[in-house]
Structure formats: structure tokens, C-alpha cells
Amino acid sequence: MTVEPDRTLTAQDTDKAGKAEAEEESAADTKPASRATAVTHAAAVPDAAAVPDAAGLGARPGARAAAGPDARARVLAPVELPPAEPESGPLPAAESPPVPPPVLHPVGAKRFWPRSFAHRLTAPLPDVRALLRVAREGSLRPAPGTLGDVARLPCEPGPLPEPRPGETAVTWAGHASWVLRLGGLTVLTDPVWSRRILGTPPRVTPPGVAWDDLPPVDAVVISHNHYDHLDAPTLRRLPRRTRLFVPAGLGRWCRRRGFTRVTELDWWEAAELPSGDGRRVRFEFVPAHHWSRRTLWDTCRSLWGGWVLTCVGSGPRLPQQRVYFAGDTGYGHWFSEIGRRCPGIDVALLPVGAYEPRWMLKPVHTSPEEAVRACRDVGARVMAPMHYGTFLLSAEPPMQPLERVRAAWAAAGRPRADLWDLPVGASRVLGR
């Protein structure tokens, strides 16, 4: 499938931008790498693996607190949402501990962070031996005989829906990029409109929404700094006053590129924007089983996670709706904790691709079957698969993630209508 020039950045422009950005970021930190490694999305190798603390959130001894008590921060009351249906979530515990509310921080506040977030890792990262094994086996790309699947990948760009008050519209632009319209706001997730990203083959399906067809963008959420989720050429197309919500430690990267309204959050922290219907849209940053890296020597210098977006506050008596965007993640205990702290998730946008070989990628990328379990754990009624069918980042056949997630959903006994396996460019509206 070819990509129309007016829908994406050209390969030449993106290659130049990606190489220039990599050189700029490498020069920004003069600390030498202790081991020369390749920088790719899936196979970059850190100098050392870290072991998380007992709670997964404690700072290393002697390190500055990642969040700390902000003088302007305040604790929010939990948003009361209808409980998930019993079959959509984990069984409740006999005596569940009280749900701690998120901590609200002002939009755009500059904050200080530790030099590393390696203590947040939930599994050791691959070492040099793993990288050598991948190079020897050539196991990070689909077998040539499976590339015929590319022509079968569903791609049906259509017009963006206009949600009515109380409705939330989700449109899949491809990979982890979504156009979310809720509370009168338009929000992009991990926007990548480039034809290719550094270190990977070009995309095999075009963006599901032409850039010129986007409504004015009110906010962007970024899950982590890997090149297929944080795309500098795409961000450069946005006005510099666009509000960016990013993980702790990533604000400096954004401000160096001219963005003036950048909000950095730690896990279980939130910020809010006024919505168009008298309410507020809350952006809460939640954990993920992943990592971060963009150059040879910035492993885990910024945090990684997902986002829960919720319309909250007073105003017209409209149904509350909540969307969970998982970003990149492996399967693990954080999903049930997200479901406990953020009850009533309506739709979970979950990754189902880039999972082979499992011996290497299991800690950081869910398989389709694990994604279905994650949807159950967070208590979401609807699941929308993502992170497949755009960039061929790993060894599974291009159509396999979609086929396996459909089979896993049926095996779990979930209603077929609640699996939003959208073609690239398609939309669904909550509340209709």
C-alpha cells in the first residue's frame, strides 16, 4: 500500500529529521556510553538492569524524590463512576484497601526529577548477549513469506465523527496514534504521522487521518520517548502553544523544541483542562511495564506509562466517560492496580503487536492474549487493539496480532461488539 504525499511526511524529510535529532540528542549529554550498543525501538540494550523496590515506586537511596510534595499540588477526590460489569474485570477482594486519590498538579509547572528512573523497571532489560542472539537469528522482522499479509491489513480512512455532548469519539490513526474527542477537546495520543521512524522500515499503512483534516488539537499525550511513540517531525507540525502532557523527565526535551505549555507527571498524578461543556478533562498518568531510551546514554532518564482521560466536575448532568490509553507495555500487576484506582474505564486502547520473539519482548510488549487479560484486569468494558499493522517492528506475521486478539476475545467469552478491532482510519463513538 502506498502513502499519499499529502498525508505523511516524506521518507527523505523524516530520515533527515531523525538523523539530525539523534545527533542533537547525543551531543546534549556528554556522558560517554560504557558499552556501544545499537539504538532501536526493540533491541536497544542498557548498560545495566535495575531491580525495582518493593512497591515499584520508591526512589533509590540518596536520589531526589521523583514527585515530591509540590507546594501547589492538591489531592483530588476520586471520580465516582459506575462499577464495571462483573465479567469485564477481576473479582473484587474481600476487603480492598481504600483507593488513594490522584494528586493534581498545575498545567505547565516546571518540576525537578531524579537523574534516572531505572528503579521503576519491573523486569531486567536485555543484555549484550540478547542483542547478539537477535543479530544472529535475524528475529526482529517478519519472515519474507508472511509479507503478503500487508495487503490484507484493514485500512479504511473516513471522516472524523462529531460527538454530541456526553459522547466520546475515538479514531485510530495507526500504531499508537489516536484522535480522541471528549469533553469538547481534541487530544492526540503518541502522534506519528511520519512515513518512517529511525531504525525501522517505512510504515505499511498510511495515517488514518490526513493531517490537514485534523480539527484544532487541544492537547497531546506522550507515553514514553521511543521513536515510534515520540516523533519529532510530527510534533514540529503542531503550534508551539499546544499543551503537551508527558512523563516525568521528558519536559526538557519538549521545551528545547519550543513548546511552552508542557506538563510532566509522575505515576498516579493528574492535571486538568477545562472542557467545552462546563466540566474538566482530567489527564492521569499511570504505570506501565516498559522502559525508555532515545540515545546511547539516556536509558530510563525519563519515565514511561499510560494515560487515563476522564471528564470530571460539575456542569450538565452528562454520563461520565473514561478512556485508558496504555501506550507500550508488557503484562503485569499494574493493570489490576489501574483498574482499582481508576474504576469504570469504558474503553481500553491496548497494544497487541510487536511481541515476537517472546524470549526477548515479553517483559515490555503484551501478546494479543495478554492484552485481553489486561482489559479484564483494568475492568474495561470495551477493548480497542493498537500497535500493529503500521510499522513492522518484530517477527510476527503482520496479520497475526489481529487474528489472535479476535480468537482470544472469543475464548474469554466477551461480547463481540465490545471488541473494537478498527481498521486504520475508522472511528467509534461511546454513548451511541
Side-chain angles (χ1 to χ4, degrees):
M1 178 176 297
T2 58
V3 183
E4 297 180 10
D6 62 341
R7 293 194 175 191
T8 58
L9 299 175
T10 65
Q12 182 179 7
D13 291 342
T14 307
D15 288 346
K16 290 181 179 178
K19 292 176 182 177
E21 181 192 355
E23 292 172 359
E24 175 189 351
E25 292 175 0
S26 298
D29 191 338
T30 58
K31 179 181 178 182
S34 60
R35 180 185 297 127
T37 55
V39 182
T40 65
H41 171 266
V45 178
D47 292 332
V51 178
D53 57 89
L57 286 173
R60 298 175 302 162
R64 191 168 187 178
D70 192 301
R72 292 175 293 176
R74 56 191 172 89
V75 176
L76 294 170
V79 180
E80 295 296 334
L81 295 173
E85 298 177 3
E87 64 271 17
S88 299
L91 294 176
E95 291 186 8
S96 299
V99 176
V103 177
L104 180 67
H105 286 268
V107 172
K110 290 187 178 181
R111 303 171 65 188
F112 298 95
W113 305 104
R115 187 171 177 81
S116 174
F117 292 91
H119 57 288
R120 304 289 185 88
L121 292 170
T122 50
L125 294 173
D127 57 16
V128 171
R129 289 175 298 179
L131 184 62
L132 293 175
R133 178 179 172 183
V134 167
R136 184 174 63 253
E137 297 177 355
S139 55
L140 277 181
R141 292 293 180 265
T146 68
L147 295 181
D149 281 359
V150 169
R152 299 169 50 216
L153 290 169
C155 184
E156 301 174 9
L160 290 172
E162 290 292 341
R164 299 186 293 261
E167 294 181 339
T168 295
V170 300
T171 301
W172 190 31
H175 201 53
S177 303
W178 294 83
V179 182
L180 307 180
R181 307 185 77 183
L182 70 167
L185 302 182
T186 297
V187 180
L188 301 184
T189 71
D190 289 356
V192 179
W193 261 252
S194 297
R195 181 171 180 262
R196 69 184 307 158
I197 54 177
L198 190 65
T200 68
R203 65 193 302 153
V204 296
T205 52
V209 182
W211 186 263
D212 291 339
D213 291 340
L214 288 172
V217 176
D218 298 291
V220 171
V221 298
I222 300 295
S223 63
H224 64 299
N225 71 354
H226 286 157
Y227 282 87
D228 61 320
H229 294 259
L230 178 63
D231 184 49
T234 298
L235 292 183
R236 278 198 291 270
R237 306 176 80 169
L238 292 167
R240 294 306 183 265
R241 287 183 56 81
T242 303
R243 299 174 180 88
L244 303 186
F245 293 87
V246 302
L250 199 53
R252 181 171 174 266
W253 186 95
C254 300
R255 295 186 185 98
R256 286 202 338 248
R257 284 153 180 80
F259 288 96
T260 59
R261 306 168 86 175
V262 182
T263 303
E264 297 176 86
L265 295 177
D266 201 346
W267 292 344
W268 310 122
E269 293 183 343
E272 294 180 350
L273 293 179
S275 70
D277 56 12
R279 297 183 294 172
R280 304 181 307 279
V281 175
R282 179 181 297 174
F283 297 75
E284 183 173 354
F285 193 50
V286 296
H289 299 272
H290 207 62
W291 63 302
S292 68
R293 186 177 193 167
R294 205 163 173 89
T295 70
L296 290 172
W297 39 78
D298 67 349
T299 302
C300 298
R301 294 284 183 87
S302 61
L303 199 50
W304 52 90
W307 294 90
V308 175
L309 277 60
T310 313
C311 285
V312 300
S314 58
R317 296 189 62 83
L318 300 172
Q320 302 258 21
Q321 292 182 330
R322 175 169 273 178
V323 177
Y324 167 48
F325 168 66
D328 243 358
T329 181
Y331 181 76
H333 69 280
W334 283 130
F335 289 115
S336 58
E337 184 66 9
I338 292 168
R340 188 176 76 89
R341 295 198 188 206
C342 305
I345 292 173
D346 292 284
V347 57
L349 313 176
L350 288 164
V352 300
Y355 50 81
E356 291 288 353
R358 293 308 284 157
W359 63 264
M360 181 177 181
L361 296 177
K362 181 177 177 62
V364 294
H365 287 164
T366 52
S367 68
E369 294 77 16
E370 289 170 336
V372 171
R373 291 199 294 272
C375 183
R376 174 204 63 194
D377 292 348
V378 300
R381 178 178 62 86
V382 170
M383 173 181 165
M386 64 173 185
H387 207 269
Y388 76 98
T390 305
F391 298 106
L392 303 182
L393 301 174
S394 56
E396 71 272 4
M399 275 293 291
Q400 189 183 87
L402 181 59
E403 294 166 349
R404 283 176 56 173
V405 77
R406 288 171 173 170
W409 190 263
R414 303 289 295 267
R416 181 62 180 85
D418 290 343
L419 179 64
W420 290 3
D421 48 347
L422 303 179
V424 174
S427 305
R428 287 287 183 92
V429 180
L430 284 165
R432 289 188 186 174

